[in-house]
Each structure stands twice: as C-alpha cells, then as structure tokens.
Amino acid sequence: MVYARMTLQLSVVLLLASVLLVLYHFGFVFNNDCINESCSQFARCCPNLVGNFHPDLRVISIEEMATRFYWVREGGLYSSTPSDVSSGTTRVAILIPFRKREEHLQILLNNLHPFLYRQQLDYTVYVVEQVDEKPFNKGKLYNIGYKEAKKNNHTCYVFHDVDLIPENDHNLYGCVRSPMHLSRAINKYNYRLPDDKLIGGVSAWRTEEFERVNGWSNLFWFWGGEDDDMSYRIMANRLPIYRFRNSVARYLMLKHSQSTINTARKRILKDSHIRYKFDGLSSLVYIPPDIQQSPLYTRILVKL
Ligand SMILES: [Mn+2]
C-alpha cells in the first residue's frame, strides 16, 4: 500500500518534471524572457510602433536616405530629449563592424533608422570599419568601437552584425536587461534559437556587464569563434542571457558568400573561461582611429 502510494507520487513528480522540460524546451520558462515587460509598456509610450514589418530590402543611396530620415543629425544620431547627460535617459550606441559590405550597410541603415526612431531612443549609429588588409577581426573592432563610443557617454551598447535586419520594432534596443541577446529568431534558422548559449548576431549590453566579461576577445581573426568565446565569458561570470520572446526578436539575414573560416577557433575556445581575464578590453592596444561624421553614421576607421 505504502509502496503503491510512493509510486504514484513518483509518477506525479515525473509527469510535472517532463511538462516543465517541454515548456523549457520551447522557451516558456526559465529562459529569462522579458515577456511583455517592455513591449507592452513601451507600446503605450511610443504609439508609432508597428510590431512586425517587412524589411525594405532595396539598396537606397545614402543621399536619399539622409533626406528621408529628417530626424537624423550629422554623425547618425537622434535625440528625443534635449541632450543632457544628467537626464537619466538611455543613450544607445549601435556598433556595426564593417568591411566591404556596402549594400548590406545601406539596407540595414534604411531599416534601422526608422526602427530606432519609432522606439524613440536617443541613439548614435557607429560603423566600425576595418581599413587594412589584415584578416577581419570582429571582436577587436567591437572593442575599439566600444572604447571610442564610450567617450560620448552612452549607457547602452548594441553590437550589431551588418547582415541582420530586424523585423519587429517591439524588439527594444534599449538595454532593458543586460546582456540581452536580441537576435534570437533568425529566418536562416527557421526563427528558432538553435542554442541557449548563443549571443552572436545582435546583443545589447550595459557598461557594467560588458566590462565585467572584459569585452570581446581580440584573438579571433577571420570568420567565427568570437561569439562562442563571448558565451563562455558570460558563463564564467555566471551572467544570464536575457531575450525577448521568439515572435518579437525576429531578424532577416542577408545572403552573402561564406568568408574565410578561422580554423584555429576551436583550439582558442578551449581556454575562454580563463583567458577572458587578460584578453579583451584590458589588453586592447590600438592606433587612434580616424573618426568621420557621415550623414547617417559616425565612421570609425580602424587599422588593426
Ligand atoms: Mn553573416
């Protein structure tokens, strides 16, 4: 009798556990979703938000965009409030690492400026361009972009791949939480997150957490690895990764040919959890970059 009751209790526990497991798998619990948190409140304050939209994939000239985006000031900035650092508003820096992807950049800017304007954020778009012939180093470009943008007292930093176009403007680029993985659902992966650890693509960080993980690694040349390294930095510091829900954190990935893959990346990734302490912002040495004010963005020209 006692044995039968115990079996019953055990199966109830098992049943509950499996239900939770299924829910967890589909991202309903424990997934640090900011469900409804900013989105609905935000929708009230910003009546111009539209939710889902079809990105405009035409390549529009910078001149035409500059005329159309009347709110954007020289250097690619917009301020909804009188620019006063002490006012406590979130000041967002969008950092886009770049080299020879002119069309992608134009498509992104054409969608991003109206998107950010609808969110009524104080923002500046920075394009961090690698202008030497060395292999591409996204992590280092991000670190340099961060250090340069920080001089303008931003409070939130969005690290943004040039080929990811947002599809829903409830996906707030304002560091509601940090670190926040914004590109959770990408068309290329059938709008599903392939792995809970992922932070690559588009992510938003406040200064405190970003400096705690010592920024990005400077050691990943060519394509790949720097984002996995960041996942390990986050884990080593026991930070959660926050995300909006699947239906909101949606992106379209622009097509391009595969860049040269970093074949050493798996080897370098082995000691990420220790190496992060001395490889990153703390070890960053760089030639002071040339900084230019374009109509739609601030251009940071980097030689590595
Ligand atoms: Mn890509």
Side-chain angles (χ1 to χ4, degrees), residues 76-301:
L77 53 115
Y78 170 71
S79 181
S80 58
T81 48
S83 55
D84 174 13
V85 182
S86 61
S87 65
T89 39
T90 310
R91 293 164 44 81
V92 185
I94 314 285
L95 299 166
I96 306 167
F98 177 79
R99 182 162 74 178
K100 294 174 189 159
R101 291 266 193 94
E102 218 47 69
E103 292 202 343
H104 284 179
L105 182 60
Q106 276 166 262
I107 297 171
L108 178 61
L109 292 170
N110 190 31
N111 289 279
L112 202 55
H113 275 298
F115 173 95
L116 295 167
Y117 183 55
R118 293 201 296 274
Q119 295 190 350
Q120 282 297 295
L121 292 165
D122 282 25
Y123 71 85
T124 306
V125 174
Y126 297 89
V127 173
V128 194
E129 183 171 358
Q130 188 174 331
V131 289
D132 58 25
E133 292 307 311
K134 289 184 185 172
F136 196 60
N137 187 327
K138 198 202 273 185
K140 205 163 175 183
L141 292 180
Y142 270 152
N143 284 343
I144 295 171
Y146 172 79
K147 288 243 177 166
E148 291 300 318
K150 207 184 164 199
K151 294 174 183 170
N152 300 324
N153 300 308
H154 292 284
T155 59
C156 171
Y157 297 82
V158 175
F159 298 96
H160 207 304
D161 276 6
V162 72
D163 56 7
L164 287 176
I165 316 295
E167 292 187 281
N168 185 309
D169 60 14
H170 290 180
N171 194 19
L172 180 59
Y173 278 29
C175 291
V176 203
R177 292 279 190 277
S178 167
M180 190 135 187
H181 185 219
L182 294 168
S183 57
R184 172 191 198 157
I186 302 177
N187 67 331
K188 192 184 172 186
Y189 308 108
N190 297 315
Y191 295 106
R192 286 200 164 278
L193 184 69
D195 182 343
D196 266 353
K197 292 195 293 295
L198 286 193
I199 191 73
V202 185
S203 60
W205 295 75
R206 287 184 211 135
T207 309
E208 195 191 323
E209 288 78 23
F210 188 66
E211 300 205 347
R212 193 153 129 202
V213 302
N214 199 13
W216 300 80
S217 168
N218 299 307
L219 301 182
F220 290 83
W221 300 87
F222 299 100
W223 182 92
E226 81 293 329
D227 52 345
D228 300 313
D229 180 85
M230 183 52 99
S231 299
Y232 294 128
R233 285 166 188 251
I234 292 170
M235 279 190 273
N237 283 278
R238 298 178 184 279
L239 292 171
I241 297 178
Y242 296 97
R243 294 185 182 90
F244 289 120
R245 58 184 188 273
N246 246 327
S247 55
V248 165
R250 288 169 66 89
Y251 285 81
L252 205 72
M253 188 184 274
L254 302 176
K255 290 195 177 83
H256 59 85
S257 52
Q258 174 67 57
S259 325
T260 314
I261 292 176
N262 176 7
T263 47
R265 69 188 195 283
K266 293 210 171 108
R267 182 174 49 78
I268 312 175
L269 282 170
K270 280 191 180 142
D271 64 350
S272 301
H273 60 292
I274 302 161
R275 181 182 23 81
Y276 84 88
K277 290 176 186 170
F278 48 86
D279 160 30
L281 291 173
S282 65
S283 63
L284 182 69
V285 180
Y286 64 102
I287 308 160
D290 192 7
I291 298 176
Q292 298 171 357
Q293 308 281 307
S294 290
L296 294 178
Y297 53 87
T298 296
R299 201 167 170 213
I300 305 178
L301 299 160

